[in-house]
Amino acid sequence: MTDKFTVSHFKEFKDKKNKISILTAYDYPTAKILDETGVHSILVGDSLGMVVLGYEDTLKVTMNDMVHHIKAVSRATKRAFVIGDMPFLSYHTGISDSVTNAGRLVSEGGCKAVKLEGGIEIAEDIKAIIKAGIPVMGHLGYTPQSINLFGGHKAQGKSFEIAQKIYSDALALQEAGVFSIVLECVPYKLAAFITKKLDIPTIGIGSGPSCDGQVLVTHDIIGLAGDFSPKHAKKYIDVGSLIKSAVNNYMDEVDKELFPTIKNSFVVDEDIIKRL
Ligand code: KIV
């Protein structure tokens, strides 16, 4: 298990051809469990909107939401590298806003780096955030904050023009100084090509096995996402069914007076009851 994963490990892992594993967390207990497993990095993604807050997309997630959840995850994490997502419109209204908002996620939230969606059009914001001392992760391909431009959740990079745009954006982000780039729902041959061309690691989600690392939403791999079962994920355990079974057992035992027993309560002197 890597002792404490830092931003320098990203490049080191790529150079040594070691794979990087990243998972999302949004709360203290989940982050604590993930941290104890040895997962390299925890992303407090704005997938928070759908996964935890019940929105239909990421667009309603606010800076305050992100700070609140990044705080909980950072408090629980001793070893993994915590990355906080910059939410919709927190880096689109000017470079000064971008730096202020990235700074809030780090100083109030406690994360070690921030992630922004987009290519060359946000390169200056990225440079300014890095200049303020904050490591930045890029995010290309299907970028959920642009769902309305894409017309839904769709793989990106199947045409020559889009494939070329994703590749040139990846080069622009590397040039701007990001330490790594998430490639979301990019065809695996394009992701492999970009991964080979970059010095910094690519982190795939739905982008094939050649990426330098992988990221998934934890709820998707543990069966806590209801009926939602995206093509890019794999369910390793069905925690949802385990919870339902535990709750059914609890209700049954309450009904049959099997739980609680006096062992689950406290002792008071018999005299006190008599005096009442
Ligand atoms: O918001 C998120 O969780 C993400 C990852 C799934 C890449 O951006």
Side-chain angles (χ1 to χ4, degrees):
M1 190 188 298
T2 316
D3 222 22
K4 199 173 168 70
F5 208 78
T6 67
V7 70
S8 345
H9 285 103
F10 280 81
K11 175 90 173 79
E12 199 181 302
F13 266 50
K14 172 156 185 143
D15 293 344
K16 290 187 178 156
K17 299 195 183 335
N18 290 335
K19 296 280 184 179
I20 301 164
S21 297
I22 306 181
L23 282 169
T24 62
Y26 318 93
D27 61 68
Y28 183 91
T30 312
K32 193 162 185 300
I33 293 170
L34 292 188
D35 194 54
E36 286 165 5
T37 65
V39 75
H40 301 120
S41 174
I42 298 177
L43 170 69
V44 188
D46 61 355
S47 48
L48 164 78
M50 292 94 83
V51 178
V52 170
L53 303 179
Y55 297 137
E56 65 177 18
D57 52 41
T58 59
L59 303 180
K60 290 193 176 66
V61 176
T62 65
M63 273 298 298
N64 286 344
D65 291 333
M66 290 309 300
V67 169
H68 182 71
H69 288 269
I70 292 170
K71 271 186 186 173
V73 168
S74 299
R75 280 195 289 264
T77 308
K78 292 192 171 69
R79 198 199 36 73
F81 187 72
V82 178
I83 304 167
D85 244 348
M86 293 198 61
F88 182 53
L89 288 188
S90 66
Y91 53 101
H92 308 87
T93 53
I95 290 177
S96 157
D97 286 352
S98 303
V99 177
T100 305
N101 287 325
R104 267 195 78 194
L105 298 189
V106 173
S107 65
E108 289 178 47
C111 59
K112 301 282 186 284
V114 298
K115 176 166 79 59
L116 283 72
E117 296 179 6
I120 186 119
E121 67 282 0
I122 55 161
E124 293 309 314
D125 301 76
I126 289 174
K127 283 184 199 165
I129 294 169
I130 295 171
K131 206 168 156 197
I134 301 169
V136 174
M137 175 181 245
H139 187 157
L140 295 171
Y142 176 69
T143 45
Q145 291 171 15
S146 304
I147 187 168
N148 292 326
L149 278 180
F150 296 137
H153 185 282
K154 290 182 188 153
Q156 299 296 312
K158 290 183 172 181
S159 70
F160 176 75
E161 290 71 24
I162 305 289
Q164 193 178 44
K165 163 94 175 111
I166 296 173
Y167 175 42
S168 63
D169 277 343
L171 294 175
L173 292 186
Q174 175 170 266
E175 177 67 27
V178 302
F179 66 87
S180 143
I181 301 176
V182 169
L183 295 177
E184 180 162 352
C185 297
V186 168
Y188 63 91
K189 283 190 181 166
L190 175 59
F193 172 82
I194 294 172
T195 299
K196 218 167 163 187
K197 293 285 181 185
L198 294 183
D199 298 326
I200 52 166
T202 57
I203 306 295
I205 170 163
S207 301
S210 301
C211 293
D212 299 301
Q214 299 292 327
V215 58
L216 281 176
V217 168
T218 298
H219 291 58
D220 292 343
I221 71 162
I222 64 172
L224 264 187
D227 293 335
F228 182 63
S229 164
K231 180 179 161 79
H232 60 251
K234 176 172 172 183
K235 201 192 276 188
Y236 289 86
I237 187 174
D238 194 354
V239 170
S241 298
L242 294 177
I243 292 176
K244 282 181 187 161
S245 150
V247 171
N248 286 336
N249 285 341
Y250 163 72
M251 287 172 65
D252 196 44
E253 291 199 359
V254 169
D255 186 52
K256 295 184 172 131
E257 294 182 26
L258 295 170
F259 179 86
T261 69
I262 54 172
K263 284 188 187 148
N264 303 106
S265 189
F266 307 91
V267 177
V268 66
D269 239 24
E270 197 54 41
D271 277 358
I272 293 181
I273 304 295
K274 279 186 187 145
R275 274 171 58 202
L276 291 174

